[in-house]
Amino acid sequence: MPDKPFTYDYIIAGAGAAGLSLMCYLLSHENLQTKRILLLDRDLKQTNDRTWCFWETSESPFESCLKSKWAKLHFHSQEFSALLDISPYRYKMLDSLSFYQHCFNLMARFPNVEFRQDEMVALEPNGIIRGKKAVYQAEYVFNSVLFQIPKLPQKHYLVQHFKGIFIRTPSPVFKPEEPTLMDFRVAQHGDCRFMYVLPVNAHEALVEYTGFSEAVLPQEEYDSEIQAYLRDFLHITDYDITHEEFGIIPMTDAPFSKQMSEQVINIGTAGGATKASTGYTFSFIQRQCAAIAQNLARGEKPLTGSEKTINKFAFYDSVFLRVLQEKKQEPWRVFHDMFSKLPASLILKFLNEETSLLEDLRIMNAVDRTIFLSAVIKQGLGSSTAS
Ligand SMILES: Cc1cc2nc3c(=O)[nH]c(=O)nc-3n(C[C@H](O)[C@H](O)[C@H](O)COP(=O)(O)OP(=O)(O)OC[C@H]3O[C@@H](n4cnc5c(N)ncnc54)[C@H](O)[C@@H]3O)c2cc1C
């Protein structure tokens, strides 16, 4: 292995959602377009390894890669079912391969941006990366490789785990305008479990079984739950599976370090972009990466310090995780209370961390106040109360 490091202005370690998003935002600023940038990943990113969904009111920079978008969402519980208007939001679906290809096509237009396939074995605070094939160094390293999640006392550690299948049916069984965000009519098994159905046309849909809990399930359980849902709720028995995906997303309020040093900035899930209470990450990655690129374009440091201010949403997430983990209330009821009493757009705004304090109070008013207040008090006591 050569001793002398390959040097760059910026290294983007990990060419996934965050790394490639950051590259796009950097290259959208004229004064950063000549920077020498290395994208480093152990994988070539040539497979469709995940589907990202998110919601927003405006156009996404990745609008051309969208597979579908919707203005309405179904919500179902045992006691309430509705097709909810989410205007001004649109719920959007992006397949990762289209996103990777879009980003690599952009990269090809900039000879100063390079991709190397290598496995990182060490990342040092001085901006040095030791890979299996070579050593790399930059003025700034933007790292999305998640080495480990800190295990701390009094923090909540749940996971969102899911298996999704893309199916194609011979007859037109889906209403393409009517996706299902959450269907809690499935057996809860003392946990929080729901189905998610995203039809892309009358014959094709993603059907996904999701759980929020401490551990993942045996693979056969996801399969049998999906089969039962297709049969019993959607009345579909004749279908082909065209693609499958399985995922585990951390749902934890353990703090992720936003930077290892002045030179090494963490991004994506590794930089705390995953929302602890929902697992949604893609929108938060966009905000995080757009802000970093803008700061650099202004000649400032990548992180301005505003991220050190107390985040009320992080507190709400901890409270929700506590309610979920302590099982003082059946988790489906929390979502039922919100979706049956409030406009869906307000709930999406809250989950996107865009609400005012007044709007937060409307959300709090919809859920069981005794249970949540008790969790707020325990969470507020924080350090002295074990979870
Ligand atoms: C199946 C799945 C579906 C998801 N769906 C959604 C969704 O619908 N909406 C949403 O908001 N969030 C979703 N998420 C959560 C989140 O958006 C994704 O995990 C997202 O990919 C996180 O982006 P990231 O850049 O932090 O990590 P990644 O996209 O995982 O990128 C990290 C990169 O680092 C590379 N890497 C790892 N280790 C090394 C190493 N040692 N050396 C070199 N390279 C390395 C990997 O190959 C990868 O390319 C989903 C997650 C999964 C797993």
Side-chain angles (χ1 to χ4, degrees), residues 16-18 41-42 45 50-53 120 268-269 280-282:
D41 204 295
R42 63 182 175 196
K45 310 306 289 181
R50 55 198 67 180
T51 306
W52 288 302
C53 290
M120 279 167 65
T269 296
Y280 280 101
T281 313
F282 196 81

Side-chain angles (χ1 to χ4, degrees), residues 209-253:
Y209 183 61
T210 301
F212 296 171
S213 55
E214 281 169 34
V216 300
L217 305 171
Q219 284 295 318
E220 317 80 73
E221 201 168 333
Y222 299 96
D223 294 334
S224 60
E225 293 286 349
I226 293 172
Q227 276 164 23
Y229 183 76
L230 284 170
R231 187 188 59 232
D232 301 340
F233 289 91
L234 303 186
H235 311 294
I236 298 172
T237 47
D238 189 8
Y239 59 89
D240 288 324
I241 299 176
T242 54
H243 185 70
E244 293 189 358
E245 71 178 35
F246 177 75
I248 302 172
I249 306 177
M251 294 177 77
T252 177
D253 49 0

Side-chain angles (χ1 to χ4, degrees), residues 274-308:
T274 296
K275 185 162 174 67
S277 58
T278 63
Y280 280 101
T281 313
F282 196 81
S283 296
F284 299 101
I285 284 176
Q286 303 314 310
R287 270 180 230 172
Q288 182 189 53
C289 293
I292 289 173
Q294 193 164 58
N295 292 339
L296 289 169
R298 286 188 187 134
E300 294 167 4
K301 289 181 181 172
L303 302 180
T304 54
S306 58
E307 50 287 329
K308 294 197 182 91

Side-chain angles (χ1 to χ4, degrees), residues 124-128 137-142 259-265 302:
E124 297 173 11
N126 55 0
I128 288 188
Q137 185 167 26
E139 183 190 348
Y140 286 117
V141 171
F142 300 99
Q259 61 191 124
M260 182 186 197
S261 66
E262 285 281 307
Q263 271 178 279
V264 180
I265 315 298

